[in-house]
Amino acid sequence: MKHKLNFIDSELSKIKNDNLHRKLQYGKAQGAYITIKEKKLINLCSNDYLGIPITKIQTNQLQSSSRLVSGNDESYRKLEKILSKHKGQQNSLIFPTGYMANLGSISAIAKKGDLILSDELNHASIIESCKLSGAKISIYKHNDMNDLSKKIKLQGKNKFIITEGIFSMDGDVSSLKEITEISEKTNAITIVDDAHGDFVIGKDGKGTPNYFNVAKKIDLYISSLSKGLGSFGGYVSSQNNVIDSCINKSKSFIYTSALPSFLVEHSIKRIQSNREIQQKKLHDNIAKLSEGLKSIGYEINSKSQIIPIIIGKEKTAMEFGKFLFKNGIFAQPIRYPTVAKNQARLRISVTAWLKKSDIEESLQIFEKGFKKFY
Ligand SMILES: Cc1ncc(COP(=O)(O)O)c(C=O)c1O
């Protein structure tokens, strides 16, 4: 071992002592279940919310090049057109992942001298992109419109308000109606990362802004194809000049290989599938599981498919996770730095894959865990 790298051991020891060490687990996720070490578990942490039955595709084509070189397969044009219609925007651009869509798009349009107002619970990829942009960043208290109204008065050439639609770790929805009102009054640009609301809520799964009837007031949408849609990739939808700016300025778009076209085809098939039935199944499952958890005694504030059970201490959350695993449930504890210290939680995500019996079995196990860990 190279002694020059020994400093890493002490950093890792600190992470372990704080109960924050992460380990990769190998498993096979399929539908409602995941098999780990030959144990079949009910999967309560998949983001394949709609559970669209597997779609078969004809090709397994890889382009092996950036989209600006020879990677821009024809299928992109078709999917981007569908996504623009889905979001009611002029144009769209697909990135390899939602993370890269955030990283590339915000940093392409905001710059030094601008002001970005960012919700305190925004995703890591939004935070990184804001930093990359060089703009002044002001973090407003989570979904707190009084704080946002105060902070929007700070100096900045262009002003941006950035929020998630459904928050990824708390499952609550952003106050988009109020945010768009503030944007209108102050001429701020409104950006919504709707990775968890897209395809899940709103008419025809059009997302959180559609749900609040403010879709037309959003200037830039960022989303993932890897969650509600259960496919893979990220995208942005906006007006033509924003998309052109991303093509010309987003480093996470320009300097990386194109998303394989078979995944683009996969997304097209899934968007064109009967999503309405899956949406209904999902919302029935959300109601059953969250009502069940509440009746056991858990405090559940989320109304979405993301249901966090806040435990607090990292160690207890880890022990609860192990207990669930032993009893047949996979629900990974979420700890710092994904959430604040002492805010560790079990982040349950509901999918349409779950059958009535899976939900009933899960609730029985959560009932046992309640007395031990909550
Ligand atoms: C709010 C939010 N934005 C973006 C992403 C990144 O999306 P992707 O998984 O497609 O990279 C995530 C994923 O965890 C997310 O929760």
Side-chain angles (χ1 to χ4, degrees):
M1 274 247 279
K2 285 185 184 157
H3 61 80
K4 283 182 285 187
L5 294 174
N6 282 356
F7 69 94
I8 293 172
D9 290 336
S10 54
E11 287 172 8
L12 284 171
S13 300
K14 175 153 185 2
I15 292 174
K16 282 180 190 160
N17 283 340
D18 292 343
N19 291 302
L20 297 173
H21 191 241
R22 300 171 189 220
K23 268 199 241 164
L24 283 172
Q25 295 207 64
Y26 296 90
K28 273 255 175 293
Q30 225 166 13
Y33 310 101
I34 180 163
T35 306
I36 299 174
K37 294 182 192 148
E38 289 171 33
K39 195 174 162 75
K40 190 173 170 190
L41 306 144
I42 299 172
N43 189 356
L44 290 189
C45 43
S46 164
N47 291 327
D48 179 10
Y49 304 128
L50 282 193
I52 297 170
I54 309 303
T55 41
K56 288 227 174 343
I57 34 158
Q58 306 298 328
T59 75
N60 56 1
Q61 200 67 47
L62 303 159
Q63 305 92 286
S64 304
S65 174
S66 154
R67 285 190 65 184
L68 278 166
V69 186
S70 61
N72 202 30
D73 188 81
E74 269 297 328
S75 54
Y76 275 101
R77 196 205 307 262
K78 186 168 177 190
L79 181 55
E80 282 166 352
K81 210 170 158 200
I82 294 171
L83 291 170
S84 302
K85 194 164 170 232
H86 172 66
K87 287 290 166 214
Q89 295 281 323
Q90 271 181 347
N91 213 338
S92 296
L93 190 71
I94 297 162
F95 285 69
T97 65
Y99 193 105
M100 292 162 91
N102 266 326
L103 215 55
S105 60
I106 300 166
S107 60
I109 58 171
K111 54 184 172 303
K112 198 163 180 255
D114 292 340
L115 172 70
I116 298 180
L117 286 308
S118 176
D119 188 287
E120 97 181 284
L121 294 191
N122 275 346
H123 190 255
S125 54
I126 302 177
I127 298 170
E128 291 307 312
S129 189
C130 293
K131 285 186 200 159
L132 262 182
S133 73
K136 180 177 170 164
I137 304 162
S138 174
I139 310 291
Y140 63 91
K141 285 186 201 143
H142 178 50
N143 236 346
D144 184 329
M145 295 303 111
N146 287 330
D147 199 32
L148 176 60
S149 300
K150 266 187 231 150
K151 289 183 170 152
I152 193 95
K153 291 182 186 139
L154 293 168
Q155 281 300 312
K157 189 164 183 284
N158 293 313
K159 296 185 182 181
F160 299 82
I161 303 176
I162 304 183
T163 179
E164 294 186 26
I166 293 183
F167 283 89
S168 61
M169 292 300 140
D170 289 63
D172 55 337
V173 288
S174 170
S175 304
L176 281 181
K177 204 171 164 310
E178 293 78 358
I179 287 179
T180 51
E181 280 164 14
I182 295 172
S183 291
E184 269 176 347
K185 270 190 218 143
T186 57
N187 205 26
I189 296 152
T190 315
I191 304 180
V192 178
D193 171 356
D194 207 18
H196 296 276
D198 206 6
F199 306 104
V200 171
I201 59 171
K203 189 168 178 286
D204 193 27
K206 287 182 192 297
T208 316
N210 173 280
Y211 177 82
F212 284 113
N213 210 11
V214 294
K216 288 204 165 62
K217 299 183 177 176
I218 307 305
D219 299 297
L220 170 61
Y221 280 96
I222 306 168
S223 188
S224 171
L225 298 163
S226 316
K227 303 186 194 300
L229 199 63
S231 180
F232 196 84
Y235 74 95
V236 298
S237 293
S238 185
Q239 60 180 44
N240 284 328
N241 64 356
V242 173
I243 301 302
D244 201 15
S245 179
C246 289
I247 294 171
N248 284 280
K249 290 174 71 186
S250 301
K251 292 197 168 72
S252 60
F253 177 84
I254 302 170
Y255 300 107
T256 193
S257 296
L259 180 74
S261 57
F262 72 87
L263 289 168
V264 178
E265 303 270 5
H266 202 60
S267 293
I268 294 172
K269 284 226 163 165
R270 291 172 95 82
I271 288 188
Q272 292 174 338
S273 68
N274 193 343
R275 287 183 283 116
E276 210 180 317
I277 295 185
Q278 299 307 113
Q279 221 180 324
K280 175 154 186 349
K281 271 192 211 163
L282 170 62
H283 290 284
D284 286 350
N285 282 352
I286 296 170
K288 274 188 210 126
L289 195 65
S290 61
E291 286 314 314
L293 289 168
K294 274 187 215 162
S295 65
I296 294 169
Y298 288 104
E299 192 184 326
I300 305 293
N301 296 317
S302 154
K303 293 186 176 66
S304 75
Q305 78 281 11
I306 299 166
I307 307 179
I309 296 184
I310 314 286
I311 304 297
K313 288 206 164 51
E314 286 76 20
K315 192 161 179 276
T316 317
M318 292 300 283
E319 284 165 0
F320 201 166
K322 278 188 195 143
F323 165 87
L324 292 174
F325 189 97
K326 240 194 198 159
N327 285 278
I329 290 183
F330 194 54
Q332 290 264 38
I334 307 286
R335 295 163 290 165
Y336 177 84
T338 308
V339 295
K341 278 193 180 145
N342 290 316
Q343 280 288 306
R345 65 199 61 190
L346 295 165
R347 173 192 182 271
I348 296 172
S349 53
V350 184
T351 68
W353 286 111
L354 299 170
K355 296 194 295 291
K356 192 169 170 241
S357 56
D358 298 321
I359 294 176
E360 283 166 1
E361 193 181 329
S362 303
L363 287 171
Q364 278 167 14
I365 297 162
F366 272 105
E367 185 153 26
K368 279 194 217 157
F370 183 80
K371 295 177 195 104
K372 264 179 114 116
F373 301 102
Y374 196 68

